[in-house]
């Protein structure tokens, strides 16, 4: 990765995590800007052909308003990269019927199950997949454990973690609570591998 990399977690899990960095609405991290959706968030990457989202959030109104604040609407969204298939990350996918939905192949069944078959992936990714949007490069990083097909995305020098980890107030990365992951040991190993990667 060569350059200093910032890690951005999407989810704040409860008030018991007082040391967890709060989600800031419309906060800019390198090439992406957040939309806060209650206790989760979506990251927005504008480019010449439209907008790329990282996760879709779950409250359609919050996502629409957040896009509007950035000068966009749901029809501008061309791609949605999904970190994992939990409802708070895919609940608003139906706002973007023309967008290409991307995620790890191991997460496809989970997305379909969580959405009662209403949503699926249009394209599957593997660890290390690189895609470019103008001059911004997006790398897929497989981080199984939270779910089987859990992913993070490196967007230039920012790593979007989804629910792979939490970021503390002082910038450290810590695993999510064990009860929140399907395989806590695998999640911790994935996180350790990300650190060395």
């Amino acid at each position: 990765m060569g350059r200093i990399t910032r890690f951005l977690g999407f989810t704040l899990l409860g008030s018991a995590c007082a040391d967890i960095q709060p989600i800031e609405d419309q906060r800019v991290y390198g090439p992406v800007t957040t939309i806060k959706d209650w206790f989760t968030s979506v990251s927005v990457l504008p480019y010449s052909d439209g907008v790329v989202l990282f996760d879709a959030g779950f409250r359609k109104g919050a996502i629409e308003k957040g896009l509007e604040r950035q000068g966009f609407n749901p029809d501008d969204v061309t791609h949605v990269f999904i970190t994992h298939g939990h409802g708070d990350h895919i609940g608003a996918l139906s706002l973007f019927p023309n967008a290409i939905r991307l995620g790890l192949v191991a997460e496809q069944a989970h997305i379909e199950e969580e959405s009662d078959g209403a949503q699926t992936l249009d394209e599957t990714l593997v660890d290390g997949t690189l895609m470019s949007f103008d001059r911004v490069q997006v790398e897929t990083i497989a981080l199984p454990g939270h779910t089987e097909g859990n992913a993070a995305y490196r967007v230039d020098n920012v790593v979007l973690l989804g629910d792979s980890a939490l970021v503390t107030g002082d910038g450290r990365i810590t695993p999510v609570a064990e009860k929140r992951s399907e395989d806590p040991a695998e999640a911790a190993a994935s996180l350790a591998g990300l650190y060395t990667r």
Side-chain angles (χ1 to χ4, degrees), residues 1-190:
M1 286 185 214
R3 298 179 287 180
I4 294 175
T5 301
R6 297 195 66 178
F7 292 92
L8 176 61
F10 282 107
T11 302
L12 175 62
L13 298 173
S15 59
C17 302
D19 186 37
I20 301 305
Q21 193 174 75
I23 297 168
E24 296 179 57
D25 192 41
Q26 304 299 314
R27 172 79 187 265
V28 176
Y29 295 92
V32 297
T33 303
T34 60
I35 296 174
K36 182 177 180 178
D37 185 7
W38 198 10
F39 57 84
T40 192
S41 67
V42 171
S43 290
V44 179
L45 171 66
Y47 77 113
S48 59
D49 290 338
V51 176
V52 176
L53 297 184
F54 296 89
D55 283 336
F58 69 106
R59 296 182 314 159
K60 294 176 184 178
I63 303 306
E64 285 180 297
K65 286 178 187 173
L67 283 169
E68 185 178 296
R69 278 188 230 120
Q70 294 183 38
F72 304 111
N73 66 63
D75 291 335
D76 295 324
V77 177
T78 62
H79 298 75
V80 179
F81 286 83
I82 300 169
T83 60
H84 65 289
H86 287 157
D88 56 327
H89 294 260
I90 66 165
L93 265 176
S94 62
L95 275 175
F96 317 107
N98 300 319
I100 298 168
R101 296 162 178 83
L102 306 106
L104 291 174
V105 67
E107 198 65 7
Q108 184 154 345
H110 194 199
I111 292 166
E112 292 170 357
E113 179 183 319
E114 188 77 17
S115 68
D116 293 327
Q119 303 297 333
T120 191
L121 296 174
D122 299 309
E123 294 182 19
T124 57
L125 306 168
V126 296
D127 185 61
T129 298
L130 294 174
M131 295 179 72
S132 293
F133 298 90
D134 295 337
R135 294 182 180 207
V136 177
Q137 192 170 55
V138 175
E139 177 185 6
T140 302
I141 303 169
L143 293 176
H146 181 64
T147 63
E148 181 183 359
N150 188 71
Y153 298 98
R154 184 181 57 80
V155 184
D156 277 355
N157 65 339
V158 177
V159 177
L160 305 173
L161 294 168
D163 286 348
S164 302
L166 297 172
V167 180
T168 64
D170 63 2
R172 290 179 296 115
I173 298 171
T174 184
V176 298
E178 286 190 6
K179 66 183 178 182
R180 303 239 190 258
S181 290
E182 290 176 3
D183 187 335
E186 185 176 36
S190 291

